[in-house]
Amino acid sequence: DTAMAAAPMTDAHRRFLQVLMSHGIMEGSEARKLHRRCCEIHKVYYAHDKLDDFISTVNSHLQPLFMQIRKGMSEGDGKAHYALVNLAETEITKMASDYAENELELFRKTMDLIILSENGFASSTDILNLADQLKTKKMKKKEAEQLLKVFVEDKWLSEKNGEYTLHTRCIIEMEQYILSNYQDTTRKCNICHSLAIQSQVCESCGIGMHLPCVRKYFRAQTEPRCPQCNDFWSLDIP
């Protein structure tokens, strides 16, 4: 039998999983620190460059539970993040246990605004204007404002100067949902090929790139040209 048996779960792996579960999502540098700490506490062999192997051991034991630790990127600063994802239910059904129907409808409509926008943001004004157009049950502006705060606390949305976008956790968890429900409008980043919500779009050929990927890509170019059509990149490089 050539299939490798899964490496056993140790207490170090279990601790790592517990801490990640309580956070829901963790930045790469935090996850690396946690990896080290778990190995030291439980006297398990530690190698600083083996975090991904360590995580895939955890994942092999999570498989029967339809859960998985996934790696993703923050669209704002390009940093790696790890999130625990439930594969058994789509994220929208998972949200359905936490939110009322009209709250869910507002989230879906907010998601529409964000994904259909040019830059991956929706203004609070535009979102709040949706509150009294809900089919399930209309919502007062005050309620909607309160709900947006909750979506931010629960890491479904993040907010910057009154503009909302999808939180890194939401993107890692909902990538499949978004790709299948917004087939015609979603873009994959031309550089890293993962889903791009906050992006810059080439004015000539329409390809999109994450802002951190734009930054990295053009750092090496004397003159910014689109990696796809080679036209001049007329947008401000972040």
Side-chain angles (χ1 to χ4, degrees), residues 108-118 120-123 126-127 130:
R108 280 203 187 96
K109 284 188 147 68
T110 300
M111 208 157 151
D112 289 344
L113 284 179
I114 290 170
I115 290 170
L116 302 177
S117 72
E118 267 293 284
F121 282 92
S123 72
D126 289 346
I127 298 171
L130 299 170

Side-chain angles (χ1 to χ4, degrees), residues 73 75-76 110-122 157 164-168 170-172 174-175 178-179 182 185-189 194-201 208-211:
M73 176 184 89
E75 294 198 322
T110 300
M111 208 157 151
D112 289 344
L113 284 179
I114 290 170
I115 290 170
L116 302 177
S117 72
E118 267 293 284
N119 60 356
F121 282 92
L157 298 176
Y164 290 83
T165 189
L166 301 181
H167 192 286
T168 305
C170 178
I171 294 174
I172 295 176
M174 292 213 188
E175 183 159 15
I178 293 168
L179 290 172
Y182 296 91
T185 47
T186 45
R187 281 185 284 268
K188 284 200 163 184
C189 172
S194 59
L195 176 65
I197 306 288
Q198 293 176 50
S199 55
Q200 284 192 350
V201 177
M209 297 198 281
H210 288 119
L211 305 182

Side-chain angles (χ1 to χ4, degrees), residues 12-13 16 20 26-39 45-59 69 71 80-82:
H13 293 93
F16 183 91
L20 182 62
M26 210 175 231
E27 204 199 282
S29 59
E30 287 299 306
R32 286 192 295 276
K33 269 188 223 147
L34 177 63
H35 172 215
R36 181 179 184 163
R37 200 161 63 236
C38 292
C39 290
Y45 170 73
Y46 165 75
H48 72 91
D49 56 348
K50 290 280 186 278
L51 173 61
D52 287 341
D53 290 353
F54 184 84
I55 285 175
S56 66
T57 298
V58 177
N59 279 340
I69 298 171
K71 190 177 184 176
H81 283 70
Y82 292 88

